[in-house]
Amino acid sequence: MEVGSLTATLEEKQQPESAKPDSNKDAHQAADSKGAKPAPERKRARNLSEDRRFKLFSGTANRPLADEIARHIGVKVGDAKLQRFADGEVYFQLLDNVRGVDVFVVQPTCYPVDQHLVELLIMIDAMKRASAARITAVVPYYGYARQDRKDRPRVAISAKLIADLLTTAGANRALFVDLHAAQIQGFFNIPVDHMFSSPVLVSHFRELNLPNLTVVSPDAGGVERARHFAQKMGAPLAIVDKRRTDINVAEVMHVVGDVHGKTCLIIDDIIDTAGTLVKTVDALIASGAAAVHACASHAVLSGPAIDRIAASRLEQVVVTDTVPLREAAQKLPKIKVLSIAGLLAAAIENIHLETSVSTLFS
């Protein structure tokens, strides 16, 4: 059987030490010169390079994040071959021995979602059949998370379906970042570690020291997330009540809370088309906000999102690198990327060493 054109190869060389920034200052200067490139993040894991029972692998969805995680841990990404047949089918082969090994595979299910999901399932299956001792699916962005309940008749609960697929493929546990709905953890019959990007985002905005700050939830569903962020920042909370008048008709926004003369910081988990984000900004400005910033864990940025952000009155949008940014987004000065590689590396290390993950957020 012939294998079609090679679309992705998982074997890359590590960056030499001489090419790495020697300080946070150098890293920030490098990021500034290249636009919206992930900024360095402080947390560091211990070195696992001598542990023969630990291996880290990556799919094609976000290889730079996997490489950065590996650098924090002190290992290299495992060798594997990922190709596609002429009709697009995935072919995956492990080139490293994983028998009896604690394996971690990094693969966010971002665009193209179905392609990256199938890659992840096939990689897990290959690891299971290669007798890995334990397989942890590290999914920084969990696709289909927004379909977590039957909100209309005759619709699928896709978040549960994906949970079943990952378990059936052979995942023994899973690691996620900022699930759209925390109850998705209950869809799994395997252990789940739910990480939060808030330590990285809170640290960034504390350094900015925005004056007269008010944290804003863009809808009722995000109140818990925004309240936690507001407590960390020592700032008051406001909520935007979002109501749709009809199908495909613009939403009516009502701001609950005092934002007049305040610097507002909108907190969300996903920025997709940025429609809700931009309308929230307009509602806050109309209510007298002096300036509006925004932050989110997952910069999906589909369709017109980048143009909408560019044309909006947002001062800046801060996101993490759970999802790789499109080239147009990297060139937009309003978008700043923070890396969560160090946080994920510490979580992976704690899982491998059977120590507490929750201590990373205490």
Side-chain angles (χ1 to χ4, degrees):
M1 182 181 295
E2 293 186 356
V3 178
S5 59
L6 176 64
T7 60
T9 302
L10 299 183
E11 182 177 2
E12 293 181 5
K13 295 182 179 179
Q14 284 186 296
Q15 183 182 7
E17 290 294 331
S18 59
K20 298 176 184 175
D22 292 331
S23 65
N24 286 338
K25 180 179 179 181
D26 294 337
H28 280 297
Q29 290 174 347
D32 291 340
S33 65
K34 295 183 180 180
K37 190 174 181 179
E41 185 271 314
R42 290 197 179 97
K43 290 184 180 294
R44 293 292 186 270
R46 293 184 292 276
N47 195 311
L48 292 179
S49 60
E50 303 301 322
D51 193 336
R52 296 179 180 273
R53 295 296 179 181
F54 173 89
K55 285 190 183 295
L56 178 75
F57 290 89
S58 173
T60 64
N62 197 347
R63 179 58 190 254
L65 175 60
D67 287 336
E68 187 68 7
I69 291 171
R71 188 183 71 80
H72 279 270
I73 295 175
V75 300
K76 71 170 186 175
V77 176
D79 291 334
K81 180 167 65 175
L82 194 153
Q83 296 175 320
R84 290 189 176 274
F85 292 94
D87 64 352
E89 289 183 12
V90 177
Y91 172 86
F92 179 79
Q93 180 187 11
L94 287 163
L95 301 179
D96 283 349
N97 178 23
V98 297
R99 184 178 296 274
V101 171
D102 191 11
V103 175
F104 293 78
V105 54
V106 180
Q107 177 85 333
T109 50
C110 52
Y111 178 85
V113 178
D114 298 343
Q115 175 178 309
H116 289 145
L117 174 61
V118 172
E119 279 184 17
L120 176 59
L121 296 173
I122 290 175
M123 286 188 289
I124 292 172
D125 183 74
M127 293 166 183
K128 176 181 68 175
R129 297 178 188 279
S131 301
R134 184 176 66 175
I135 304 167
T136 301
V138 181
V139 187
Y141 172 68
Y142 186 72
Y144 290 101
R146 287 170 284 185
Q147 301 176 51
D148 64 322
R149 65 195 184 281
K150 286 190 68 174
D151 56 350
R152 296 176 185 176
R154 298 173 296 282
V155 298
I157 304 180
S158 304
K160 166 60 175 170
L161 173 62
I162 303 307
D164 290 342
L165 289 172
L166 288 172
T167 305
T168 301
N172 301 112
R173 64 185 305 134
L175 173 62
F176 302 118
V177 177
D178 281 321
L179 288 168
H180 184 66
Q183 62 266 26
I184 290 174
Q185 297 171 79
F187 293 167
F188 288 83
N189 293 322
I190 57 176
V192 171
D193 290 295
H194 187 198
M195 303 286 294
F196 303 96
S197 61
S198 55
V200 177
L201 295 171
V202 167
S203 176
H204 172 75
F205 282 103
R206 278 177 176 167
E207 290 179 2
L208 286 183
N209 195 26
L210 298 174
N212 210 12
L213 180 66
T214 293
V215 173
V216 179
S217 173
D219 52 41
V223 170
E224 183 179 352
R225 181 184 305 108
R227 182 185 295 115
H228 174 76
F229 204 98
Q231 289 173 346
K232 293 289 186 181
M233 295 294 297
L237 175 68
I239 304 167
V240 174
D241 179 28
K242 183 172 61 176
R243 299 183 185 181
R244 191 178 295 276
T245 57
D246 201 352
I247 296 176
N248 294 327
V249 177
E251 295 158 346
V252 178
M253 301 285 206
H254 300 285
V255 178
V256 180
D258 180 20
V259 298
H260 186 77
K262 303 292 184 68
T263 300
C264 292
L265 174 59
I266 302 170
I267 308 296
D268 213 344
D269 61 326
I270 301 172
I271 301 177
D272 192 354
T273 63
T276 296
L277 174 63
V278 170
K279 289 173 184 175
T280 301
V281 173
D282 293 340
L284 292 171
I285 295 294
S287 297
V292 182
H293 298 249
C295 71
S297 304
H298 312 299
V300 177
L301 303 180
S302 306
I306 297 171
D307 292 336
R308 284 174 172 172
I309 292 172
S312 72
R313 299 180 65 178
L314 277 164
E315 300 290 329
Q316 190 177 56
V317 178
V318 179
V319 297
T320 72
D321 55 352
T322 57
V323 175
L325 284 189
R326 293 156 50 188
E327 185 176 352
Q330 294 177 16
K331 295 178 180 179
L332 186 62
K334 281 188 177 182
I335 298 177
K336 180 178 179 61
V337 183
L338 303 177
S339 178
I340 61 165
L343 194 60
L344 281 171
I348 288 170
E349 180 191 37
N350 287 8
I351 292 170
H352 174 66
L353 298 176
E354 305 290 353
T355 58
S356 175
V357 173
S358 62
T359 55
L360 299 175
F361 305 98
S362 59

